[in-house]
Amino acid sequence: MITFSIVTITFNASSCLPRTLQSVAAQQYPHVEHLLIDGASTDGTVEMISNYLEQRSASSHHVKMWSEPDKGLYDAMNKGLARATGDYLLFLNAGDCLPNSNTLSDIVRRCHLENLEKHTLPAVLYGYTLITDGAGKLLRKRHHTPPERLSWRSFSHGMLVCHQAFYARTDIARSLPYNLHYRYSADVDWCIRVMKEAARQHLPITNTHLTVALYMEEGQTTVHHRASLRERFQVMRCHYGLPHTLLMHLWMVMRGVWGRII
């Protein structure tokens, strides 16, 4: 059987967390571990999660919570990495959701995962993302469309697959913790490193051709947009080199200008 670890990071998230909890609880797929890593919230989030644990006690899903101070989002995500036990790991933070109750079942079936030996499982499963507002209302498709074939080189064109739509094999993910040097773009760096490891091990990266995540638009990279862009440039420079990174950024700027003209 294929198991999924869903890691949800929270800090004073009582206003948007319920829909995340509901979307995970609604999954018909039974082999789910839901890990909630809270940063010592004071707004009722901990009590909300405690109630969720009690309600899910008889479920086939395994739900666990830790609430303690951390050093920020990526430090909390590293805690989730260290504690995950499923075959695949997904970060679904407060406000983000799985699209429907069959999302995980559809992924397993579409990718024929039950027919594969554990050591041959794809390193990454990925798919489409829809964007929601802070109230959970669907707004639009994500600007970037996932490519038919994805590799670590693909992200030189930008983060073509949303972090929430990037299901990583847990054994690989756990060996590559988030780089806490980055404040806003450690997720981009992490996804690239996971895909580099997939290439090193000659493991496939599989397109599910499914919508696998609903992403809440508001987030750290939205609030700190300029700092995030600067940091993302440094991530890309690290992985792709300065000349290529400059060329790709020039191309993206020109594409944006041309798009406004036509």
Side-chain angles (χ1 to χ4, degrees), residues 10-198:
T10 63
F11 180 68
N12 290 342
S14 60
S15 62
C16 59
L17 180 59
R19 59 178 172 272
T20 304
L21 299 181
Q22 291 163 11
S23 80
V24 177
Q27 291 304 299
Q28 297 298 312
Y29 192 75
H31 310 302
V32 177
E33 172 184 67
H34 195 185
L35 307 179
L36 294 118
I37 313 296
D38 180 74
S41 294
T42 58
D43 71 334
T45 296
V46 174
E47 292 76 11
M48 182 181 294
I49 296 173
S50 296
N51 290 335
Y52 176 68
L53 263 69
E54 185 175 343
Q55 294 166 6
R56 303 299 295 162
S57 60
S59 168
S60 62
H61 295 181
H62 299 286
V63 185
K64 300 177 183 178
M65 174 185 69
W66 293 265
S67 182
E68 60 188 15
D70 55 50
K71 299 175 184 177
L73 174 63
Y74 297 120
D75 179 45
M77 292 169 83
N78 277 339
K79 293 180 181 182
L81 276 179
R83 290 161 174 160
T85 64
D87 296 306
Y88 284 97
L89 177 139
L90 166 67
F91 284 98
L92 198 69
N93 292 335
D96 302 328
C97 299
L98 296 170
N100 59 64
S101 62
N102 294 315
T103 299
L104 299 181
S105 300
D106 289 345
I107 290 172
V108 172
R109 182 174 63 255
R110 178 69 65 90
C111 300
H112 307 289
L113 299 180
E114 296 289 10
N115 299 329
L116 300 175
E117 298 292 333
K118 292 295 178 77
H119 69 280
T120 66
L121 287 171
V124 177
L125 310 169
Y126 69 99
Y128 299 96
T129 306
L130 298 179
I131 306 297
T132 72
D133 64 14
K137 179 182 177 181
L138 286 177
L139 296 177
R140 62 185 182 278
K141 293 181 180 179
R142 188 169 181 261
H143 174 69
H144 287 300
T145 300
E148 181 63 28
R149 293 186 178 181
L150 182 71
S151 77
W152 69 271
R153 294 180 178 85
S154 302
F155 274 30
S156 67
H157 297 269
M159 196 171 187
L160 301 185
V161 176
C162 183
H163 192 211
Q164 286 78 356
F166 189 93
Y167 293 55
R169 233 175 72 170
T170 303
D171 58 339
I172 296 174
R174 191 186 295 114
S175 69
L176 300 167
Y178 289 84
N179 184 345
L180 301 187
H181 172 75
Y182 298 118
R183 294 185 61 193
Y184 310 114
S185 299
D187 52 343
V188 182
D189 170 71
W190 180 77
C191 287
I192 294 170
R193 288 189 289 122
V194 167
M195 291 187 288
K196 280 186 171 181
E197 182 61 19

